[in-house]
Amino acid sequence: MSSPMHAATSPRTGGLAVPAALLLVYVVWGSTYLGIRIALEHGVPPLLVTSGLRFVVAGALLFGVLRLRGVAAPTRAQWKNLVVMGALLLGMGNALVVLAETTVSSGLAAVAVASVPVWMGLFGLLRGQRATRIEWLGLMLGFAGVVWLNAGGTLTASPQGLVCLLLAPMAWAFGSVWSRGRDLPSPFMAAAGQMLCGGTLIMLAGWLRGERLHAVPPLEGVLAVVYLALFGSVIAFTAYVWLLHHVRPALAGSYAYVNPVIAVALGAWLAHERFTAHDLGAMAVILVGVVVITLAKVRRK
């Protein structure tokens, strides 16, 4: 998942830059769900390290690089907005996914997160945004898929996972809609500040939950967290923000229906995860709804 950044698109970018950036966002973000599972399986605390420390480290690295390049730091008012965004998008949107993966498969978590555009559409309606008939169709399809996913199958065997995977995309979507029009720094600095704020809040929640790191985790767990911080939170996010400046928003946002497919495939291939027909059917309906919503927005623009 990435934080929402809104930027004007520029003329077409030639060469392999756009395909390379898309590949990074598709594959790396799709693989982060498996990376979370690997970290958890090797004893890495879910909130304290897998989610919280990962974002603090990534945010600090990005913040330091930007300041060295002369990018202005956020103002006091901007920091307040970044705290709220960090709490919603990362503190709930990502941390709850990590908690869910303590009881459910990485692929199933990715399927649930795929519903973010559906919730964004619903929250947009509550803010007075009008929807076309095609958008309404996409919203109804996506919402039907969410209900189907939460009504039976593998997810109902884990009440904690069900609640977390229902709230996580809702929090991410609400934070995304809330952030529109707010006073924020430049996109990359906003990302760094958001990761610093959100990561700190997540680490605090993990500490209050009783999580402690009594010993260095096995090498596999450490490498998983490094991968999540460096590739998932810095490199792939940078590629995503670059895409927002060079291609249509709909193309940059296409990760929403590509990531879950990659996550499910990687989970089945590398972690031997199994999915019921119910789970795969719900995923298909959610993804169809997301595609319809995306195409409707492109057509309206």
Side-chain angles (χ1 to χ4, degrees):
M1 293 174 144
S2 64
S3 62
M5 299 295 165
H6 308 287
T9 57
S10 65
R12 293 182 180 179
T13 302
L16 298 176
V18 170
L22 285 171
L23 187 63
L24 275 174
V25 174
Y26 288 169
V27 176
V28 174
W29 273 351
S31 67
T32 54
Y33 296 92
L34 182 58
I36 291 170
R37 172 172 173 167
I38 293 173
L40 295 176
E41 286 182 343
H42 288 84
V44 181
L47 298 184
L48 190 65
V49 179
T50 304
S51 184
L53 183 60
R54 157 199 172 186
F55 284 119
V56 170
V57 171
L61 287 173
L62 187 56
F63 186 89
V65 170
L66 292 173
R67 292 294 291 143
L68 287 174
R69 297 186 62 181
V71 179
T75 64
R76 180 176 298 182
Q78 290 172 340
W79 275 118
K80 293 179 180 179
N81 290 332
L82 292 174
V83 169
V84 176
M85 291 177 64
L88 288 170
L89 277 76
L90 301 182
M92 293 184 67
N94 181 270
L96 289 178
V97 171
V98 174
L99 282 180
E101 285 202 42
T102 61
T103 57
V104 303
S105 68
S106 61
L108 196 58
V111 171
V113 172
S115 64
V116 165
V118 177
W119 293 111
M120 287 182 66
L122 291 174
F123 287 131
L125 292 176
L126 294 178
R127 291 191 61 178
Q129 297 178 6
R130 294 184 178 182
T132 64
R133 291 181 180 179
I134 299 179
E135 285 177 301
W136 273 112
L137 174 62
L139 289 172
M140 289 188 290
L141 283 172
F143 190 71
V146 172
V147 172
W148 188 6
L149 182 66
N150 288 274
T154 308
L155 195 53
T156 54
S158 169
Q160 175 184 312
L162 188 152
V163 173
C164 288
L165 292 181
L166 181 62
L167 293 178
M170 292 176 64
W172 188 280
F174 181 79
S176 300
V177 174
W178 180 89
S179 69
R180 293 173 181 171
R182 303 287 175 178
D183 180 19
L184 295 172
S186 61
F188 291 112
M189 182 58 76
Q194 180 184 312
M195 286 191 284
L196 283 171
C197 295
T200 301
L201 291 174
I202 296 169
M203 290 186 71
L204 177 61
W207 186 83
L208 293 175
R209 188 171 176 261
E211 295 181 9
R212 300 292 186 273
L213 188 63
H214 300 291
V216 178
L219 180 60
E220 293 88 343
V222 174
L223 291 177
V225 175
V226 171
Y227 177 82
L228 291 171
L230 182 59
F231 287 88
S233 298
V234 177
I235 295 178
F237 184 84
T238 301
Y240 175 67
V241 174
W242 182 88
L243 282 169
L244 285 178
H245 285 77
H246 293 86
V247 301
R248 299 186 310 276
L251 179 58
S254 59
Y255 74 90
Y257 46 86
V258 177
N259 284 169
V261 177
I262 291 177
V264 168
L266 289 176
W269 176 35
L270 299 177
H272 307 292
E273 295 177 350
R274 295 184 178 182
F275 305 92
T276 66
H278 178 282
D279 300 330
L280 296 176
M283 178 180 73
V285 174
I286 291 173
L287 295 185
V288 169
V290 172
V291 171
V292 171
I293 292 172
T294 303
L295 293 178
K297 289 180 178 180
V298 173
R299 180 179 179 182
R300 183 167 61 177
K301 290 180 179 179

